[in-house]
Amino acid sequence: MLKREEIRIRDPFIYTDKEAGCYYMYGTTSVLPGTLAAKCNFSCYKTYDFENFEGPFVLFDAEKEDFWADRDFWAAEMHKYNGKYYLFGSCKAEGKCRGTQIFVCDTPNGHYTPLTKEPITPRDWECLDGTLYVENGQPYMVFCHEWVQIKNGEIWAMPLSADLKAPAGEPKMLFRASDNPDVSELHAGKGTYVTDGPFLWNEDGKVKMIWSSFYKGRYLVLEAEADSLLGEWCHGGSRFDFDGGHAMVFTTLEGKRMISLHKPNTANLERAFFTEF
């Protein structure tokens, strides 16, 4: 059993397992010491109280598989969809663009297998942090086109086939990082703006999104909303003032809405943080 403070994790993603009466925590779980680089595997932890954790349970290890990527397995998140458990994670290899790969399993913490041989994001784009959002029965992958390739990071939505194995149409850009007027340059004077970690849900007839960037000089969770996924997005700031982000929203077994994120955004010090939202 591990205490929360003993687990270094970035981008913590919580799945509430109502049937088992517990929670699973995914994310970037194999970060190399002193860096943001990561090994080539995904793992998860199991908890009942957000302070004591079982695991890690290895979900996928590329060293034991014939797989296209071999480094920087980032930001895993898990979605239950049509009776299966789907892991979305960002991966990288030398000479290949970073992309979001989808994996599938019959249980939340079992052995996941790649749904396709290649990532679902465009292969000539540097992409990361793909998430699943379903609108009117249509599944979408919402993902980031990364600033390292285009300088001003973007968030895109791409319709997927019902089995999540292929695009079902062309992707559409939702917004750029600089569309939020208080987003700060990553490198001053170089026009670089970050988009990280989109997560979406429905509330009060609106599509709500949280995402992360450097806002007023700190890495923070930002808010945005639209009437529909492909509609016009309106931007807000952060409810928090600490250095942390890449968040998601979940509901506890008792029905309380919470946010999960990592803080601080400093190599070696990152820990999962949970609070009401």
Side-chain angles (χ1 to χ4, degrees):
M1 192 74 73
L2 294 169
K3 295 292 186 182
R4 180 182 57 82
E5 285 296 326
E6 296 178 289
I7 301 172
R8 183 187 176 195
I9 186 171
R10 296 179 63 85
D11 327 316
F13 186 99
I14 298 296
Y15 170 69
T16 302
D17 190 333
K18 295 180 180 179
E19 295 177 2
C22 66
Y23 307 90
Y24 289 95
M25 180 172 71
Y26 308 81
T28 304
T29 54
S30 58
V31 198
L32 295 169
T35 75
L36 303 186
K39 298 178 184 177
C40 57
N41 61 70
F42 289 121
S43 300
C44 75
Y45 297 85
K46 181 179 180 180
T47 185
Y48 294 88
D49 60 7
F50 302 109
E51 285 297 332
N52 300 283
F53 290 82
E54 300 173 23
F57 304 98
V58 177
L59 307 174
F60 181 80
D61 187 347
E63 291 186 345
K64 300 177 181 179
E65 309 279 350
D66 180 15
F67 189 64
W68 69 270
D70 62 3
R71 67 196 69 178
D72 289 353
F73 280 42
W74 289 348
E77 56 182 66
M78 199 283 293
H79 300 267
K80 189 175 183 180
Y81 172 77
N82 285 352
K84 295 279 189 177
Y85 299 89
Y86 292 91
L87 193 75
F88 287 57
S90 301
C91 311
K92 177 71 174 170
E94 184 68 30
K96 293 188 177 183
C97 288
R98 190 185 314 281
T100 292
Q101 180 78 39
I102 305 176
F103 305 80
V104 65
C105 187
D106 290 326
T107 62
N109 63 339
H111 175 70
Y112 281 75
T113 58
L115 193 60
T116 56
K117 290 186 177 181
E118 293 283 332
I120 205 75
T121 45
R123 291 309 294 127
D124 57 347
W125 293 12
E126 292 285 349
C127 301
L128 77 170
D129 298 347
T131 190
L132 178 66
Y133 181 72
V134 180
E135 184 172 82
N136 299 323
Q138 171 64 57
Y140 290 85
M141 176 181 281
V142 178
F143 65 94
C144 299
H145 191 181
E146 202 175 2
W147 68 271
V148 297
Q149 186 178 45
I150 57 172
K151 297 185 72 173
N152 191 358
E154 300 166 344
I155 293 182
W156 288 70
M158 181 170 64
L160 300 178
S161 58
D163 60 7
L164 309 186
K165 290 184 177 181
E170 293 297 318
K172 178 182 177 181
M173 189 179 70
L174 304 185
F175 58 83
R176 295 182 174 88
S178 63
D179 289 347
N180 187 315
D182 287 321
V183 165
S184 309
E185 289 178 287
L186 180 62
H187 302 295
K190 296 187 177 181
T192 53
Y193 301 90
V194 170
T195 46
D196 276 349
F199 179 84
L200 301 93
W201 72 99
N202 289 93
E203 183 183 349
D204 300 329
K206 300 283 188 179
V207 183
K208 305 276 188 172
M209 183 193 297
I210 50 175
W211 61 289
S212 286
S213 189
F214 291 88
Y215 181 80
K216 299 183 178 179
R218 285 186 185 175
Y219 190 67
L220 291 173
V221 179
L222 307 179
E223 300 184 41
E225 69 174 33
D227 291 330
S228 63
L229 178 63
L230 303 182
E232 183 177 351
W233 285 85
C234 300
H235 293 276
S238 177
R239 303 187 192 186
F240 310 109
D241 62 359
F242 49 73
D243 179 38
H246 197 124
M248 58 84 61
V249 174
F250 67 98
T251 303
T252 67
L253 295 166
E254 296 77 26
K256 184 184 298 183
R257 192 170 74 177
M258 305 282 288
I259 189 170
S260 171
L261 53 90
H262 72 257
K263 77 177 185 80
N265 191 46
T266 304
N268 291 338
L269 302 181
E270 311 97 317
R271 298 296 185 268
F273 175 78
F274 312 105
T275 190
E276 290 189 43
F277 186 76

